[in-house]
């Protein structure tokens, strides 16, 4: 069928040996050769999570084609889930150890056109940071209520320590404060 995607009409007439010509018969079909487009965001585009269970936010568009009907997912770009019905929000479980995780999606329209791979990534960090505290450089006593806290922290290969909080009684804690130095 020549021309761009869209509704196409094919007409036919028949002629016999006596040169009699039939009336015109026609049929309509929609030509759709354009794959759908789409997007994926993990946890509304957050950069890090401490939970393997995340939420995928999905959008799709078939640009006036046959309409998007299915989607599928891959965590490695090689192995794909089965095609499934569309959902704008889908729960997903990140696999493997802590680190950057990429989730890919493809969409398929009613004409069978498959989209390119759309992806988003997030850093999975399930390991808590560690740290130390020394009061007055580890002195065993003080004569002043004003003390110096010597603090160290480490998050290894994690997402990085950005806040801390303190308690004087082990029960009540202050609000988290920034670990950035000014």
């Amino acid at each position: 069928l020549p021309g761009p995607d869209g509704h196409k009409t094919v007409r036919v007439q028949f002629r016999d040996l006596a040169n009699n010509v039939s009336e015109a018969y026609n049929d309509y079909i929609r030509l759709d050769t354009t794959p759908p487009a789409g997007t994926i965001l993990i946890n509304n585009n957050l950069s890090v999570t401490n939970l393997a269970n995340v939420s995928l936010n999905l959008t799709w568009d078939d640009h006036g084609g046959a309409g998007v009907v299915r989607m599928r997912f891959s965590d490695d770009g090689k192995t794909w889930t089965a095609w499934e019905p569309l959902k704008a929000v889908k729960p997903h479980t990140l696999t493997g150890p802590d680190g950057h995780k990429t989730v890919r999606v493809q969409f398929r329209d009613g004409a069978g056109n498959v989209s390119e791979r759309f992806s988003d990534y997030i850093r999975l960090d399930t390991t808590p940071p560690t740290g130390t505290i020394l009061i007055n450089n580890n002195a065993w006593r003080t004569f002043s209520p004003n003390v110096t806290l010597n603090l160290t922290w480490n998050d290894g290969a994690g997402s990085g320590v950005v806040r801390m909080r303190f308690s004087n009684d082990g029960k009540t804690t202050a609000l988290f404060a920034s670990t950035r130095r000014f």
Side-chain angles (χ1 to χ4, degrees), residues 67-114:
V68 180
V69 294
R70 294 276 190 260
M71 61 186 181
R72 68 180 183 172
F73 300 90
S74 176
D75 288 333
D76 62 9
K78 298 173 188 169
T79 306
W80 290 85
T81 64
W83 290 101
E84 60 186 80
L86 299 172
K87 289 183 184 175
V89 179
K90 177 182 172 34
H92 185 78
T93 302
L94 302 173
T95 58
D98 285 2
H100 284 96
K101 305 295 178 182
T102 301
V103 180
R104 298 154 189 87
V105 63
Q106 283 186 306
F107 299 99
R108 187 176 72 197
D109 68 17
N113 298 308
V114 176

Side-chain angles (χ1 to χ4, degrees), residues 33-159:
T33 61
T34 305
T39 64
I40 179 173
L41 291 177
I42 304 171
N43 282 0
N44 288 316
N45 212 26
L46 291 178
S47 61
V48 67
T49 182
N50 63 351
L51 299 173
N53 294 325
V54 295
S55 179
L56 305 179
N57 298 88
L58 305 153
T59 65
W60 54 85
D61 184 9
D62 200 25
H63 311 290
V68 180
V69 294
R70 294 276 190 260
M71 61 186 181
R72 68 180 183 172
F73 300 90
S74 176
D75 288 333
D76 62 9
K78 298 173 188 169
T79 306
W80 290 85
T81 64
W83 290 101
E84 60 186 80
L86 299 172
K87 289 183 184 175
V89 179
K90 177 182 172 34
H92 185 78
T93 302
L94 302 173
T95 58
D98 285 2
H100 284 96
K101 305 295 178 182
T102 301
V103 180
R104 298 154 189 87
V105 63
Q106 283 186 306
F107 299 99
R108 187 176 72 197
D109 68 17
N113 298 308
V114 176
S115 73
E116 64 180 271
R117 298 171 181 189
F118 303 102
S119 63
D120 192 23
Y121 67 92
I122 193 166
R123 183 180 192 129
L124 177 62
D125 181 2
T126 61
T127 306
T130 59
T132 63
I133 182 171
L134 296 175
I135 302 171
N136 287 347
N137 286 321
N138 209 22
W140 66 277
R141 70 177 175 176
T142 185
F143 298 103
S144 170
N146 297 321
V147 295
T148 300
L149 302 179
N150 302 101
L151 305 169
T152 65
W153 54 86
N154 186 347
D155 197 28
S159 57

Side-chain angles (χ1 to χ4, degrees), residues 155-170:
D155 197 28
S159 57
V161 176
V162 294
R163 314 274 298 162
M164 60 186 163
R165 64 182 177 186
F166 301 93
S167 173
N168 289 327
D169 61 10

Side-chain angles (χ1 to χ4, degrees), residues 1-2 6-12 25-30:
L1 297 171
H7 286 87
K8 304 294 180 179
T9 301
V10 177
R11 293 174 184 85
V12 64
Y25 299 95
N26 58 55
D27 197 7
Y28 303 91
I29 193 166
R30 178 175 185 81

